[in-house]
Amino acid sequence: MPKDYRGERALLLAAVKEMALLGLVTGSSGNASMRLPLEHGLERFLITPASKDYSKLAADGLVAVNSEIEPVDGDGVPSTESLLHLAIYRARPDVGAVMHTHSVYATALAVAGRPIPPVMDEMVVYLGGGVEVASYGFPGSEELATEAVKALGNRRAVLLRNHGLCGAGASPDDALQACVLAERAAHVFLLAEAAGGATLLPADAVEAERGAYLMRSGLKD
Ligand SMILES: [Zn+2]
């Protein structure tokens, strides 16, 4: 008898609907997932289906997959970016949810190949520092997943070159907040550059805030 993961479906769906309402994606672009409890020692993930408009997505439209990205519960086809999500879960035991968006300002910087340096305290406190740009990988490819993990490091947001943004967190809402914050940082950074040039946070503030981030997240440098 397959589990229906009702509670997890509700949590992920709420974050996905919010992602669409906030305009971080359009149509069926972007995707989101969450880690499910181990079942007989095996990993399970809940992920958005491929090519489904978020306004029409219901909780039972989310697909539960195993670590081979084979559906174990739900009828839909798993997101074409499932490899990206899986690679982040493998590299980061602290991450319980991943969200990938195409929000405008973050994508503009991803297209320009420009990382967002730590210019606001909240970036370091909640994202773990600046937001790096991963080298280009074809959408859905192993290469995109590998490069994203490399550039994400132990932070919570990464820009995907010529593509978009990826956020990670303990829960779906946490991953959504990482995407919202990274998008806001991209917007502010671009405005600051246009207003005469962004300035960096003092190095000692970055060090103290990053220490607090690592401790809270149970991570090490
Ligand atoms: Zn995408």
Side-chain angles (χ1 to χ4, degrees):
M1 179 77 181
K3 290 196 182 300
D4 61 7
Y5 306 113
R6 199 167 299 173
E8 289 90 350
R9 285 177 183 280
L11 274 180
L12 183 58
L13 185 70
V16 165
K17 294 275 185 189
E18 186 73 10
M19 167 183 85
L21 281 175
L22 290 170
L24 300 177
V25 292
T26 53
S28 65
S29 71
N31 32 71
S33 70
M34 78 181 288
R35 206 193 279 273
L36 291 168
L38 288 178
E39 217 173 293
H40 308 300
L42 297 174
E43 291 178 311
R44 297 273 190 269
F45 310 91
L46 194 60
I47 193 158
T48 46
S51 311
K52 180 86 182 175
D53 197 305
Y54 296 111
S55 63
K56 298 183 181 75
L57 184 63
D60 59 9
L62 298 165
V63 194
V65 297
N66 61 20
S67 56
E68 306 296 318
I69 316 179
E70 294 160 345
V72 293
D73 186 46
D75 301 326
V77 176
S79 165
T80 54
E81 291 290 7
S82 292
L83 281 177
L84 167 67
H85 294 251
L86 214 62
I88 293 174
Y89 291 123
R90 290 225 170 101
R92 292 278 300 273
D94 62 304
V95 168
V98 174
M99 185 172 279
H100 161 54
T101 74
H102 292 176
S103 56
V104 173
Y105 295 100
T107 305
L109 288 171
V111 167
R114 286 192 67 182
I116 315 170
V119 290
M120 293 184 294
D121 298 291
E122 64 199 66
M123 290 178 70
V124 191
V125 172
Y126 297 110
L127 299 179
V131 184
E132 298 297 322
V133 187
S135 297
Y136 181 78
F138 194 77
S141 69
E142 188 84 50
E143 187 187 7
L144 179 141
T146 306
E147 294 300 334
V149 164
K150 214 188 291 175
L152 177 66
N154 57 13
R155 293 174 301 277
R156 289 184 47 207
V158 64
L159 296 171
L160 307 177
R161 185 80 197 239
N162 295 84
H163 185 155
L165 170 70
C166 191
S171 65
D173 189 56
D174 217 24
L176 170 68
Q177 295 313 320
C179 289
V180 168
L181 181 49
E183 171 65 1
R184 183 168 178 278
H187 193 170
V188 169
F189 177 61
L190 279 168
L191 288 175
E193 286 289 85
T199 56
L200 295 178
L201 286 167
D204 55 350
V206 172
E207 197 184 326
E209 289 163 353
R210 182 150 164 84
Y213 163 81
L214 291 171
M215 192 181 293
R216 205 178 56 245
S217 311
L219 294 166
K220 283 194 172 70
D221 254 336

